[in-house]
Amino acid sequence: MTNFGFGKGAAKPAAESAAPAKLDLGGLPTGPIENDRMREREAMDRAEAVGFTDRGQGRGIVRRKRVAQPTATVYVKGPEELIEWFIHYTESKGHSAYWKAIADFRAMVEG
């Protein structure tokens, strides 16, 4: 059986065996970068002129995650005709879940 090139016997090409060249990072600043407020404002004005909208940190609408309501599962076994009627009723009302049809029934009963 073959080792698909993962075993000890797999030979590496000469180009891969040589160490990769190091990047010269000598020209990059090492400390914090100082921004010129006027240049930044001019750049933002140019960006807004072409349609860019600023979505910076701390701005805009903060969306909170809804707290999930506790749920329960009910399995209903009953006459086929009645279950099919309930399914048809739910679909005719445009509900995407059976619990919404039950909520309609509850609202009708409670008034």
Side-chain angles (χ1 to χ4, degrees):
M1 183 170 233
T2 120
N3 62 8
F4 298 102
F6 295 110
K8 292 180 183 177
K12 293 184 180 178
E16 288 183 20
S17 63
K22 297 262 183 178
L23 294 175
D24 179 21
L25 304 176
L28 295 177
T30 57
I33 299 172
E34 303 259 341
N35 287 338
D36 180 19
R37 297 281 181 194
M38 289 301 292
R39 286 186 65 197
E40 184 178 1
R41 184 70 248 159
E42 290 170 0
M44 292 301 293
D45 290 341
R46 286 193 311 268
E48 288 174 3
V50 295
F52 175 78
T53 54
D54 184 17
R55 297 180 188 201
Q57 296 175 355
R59 297 185 186 128
I61 299 171
V62 176
R63 297 182 189 261
R64 298 191 187 270
K65 190 174 181 180
R66 290 184 184 171
V67 177
Q69 293 181 340
T71 61
T73 303
V74 176
Y75 295 99
V76 178
K77 189 173 186 178
E80 185 177 351
E81 183 265 329
L82 183 62
I83 300 299
E84 286 179 1
W85 174 88
F86 181 70
I87 292 170
H88 177 69
Y89 171 78
T90 302
E91 291 172 354
S92 69
K93 292 293 185 179
H95 296 307
S96 59
Y98 295 136
W99 67 264
K100 292 182 180 182
I102 296 170
D104 280 353
F105 179 67
R106 178 183 178 188
M108 184 173 54
V109 169
E110 291 180 352

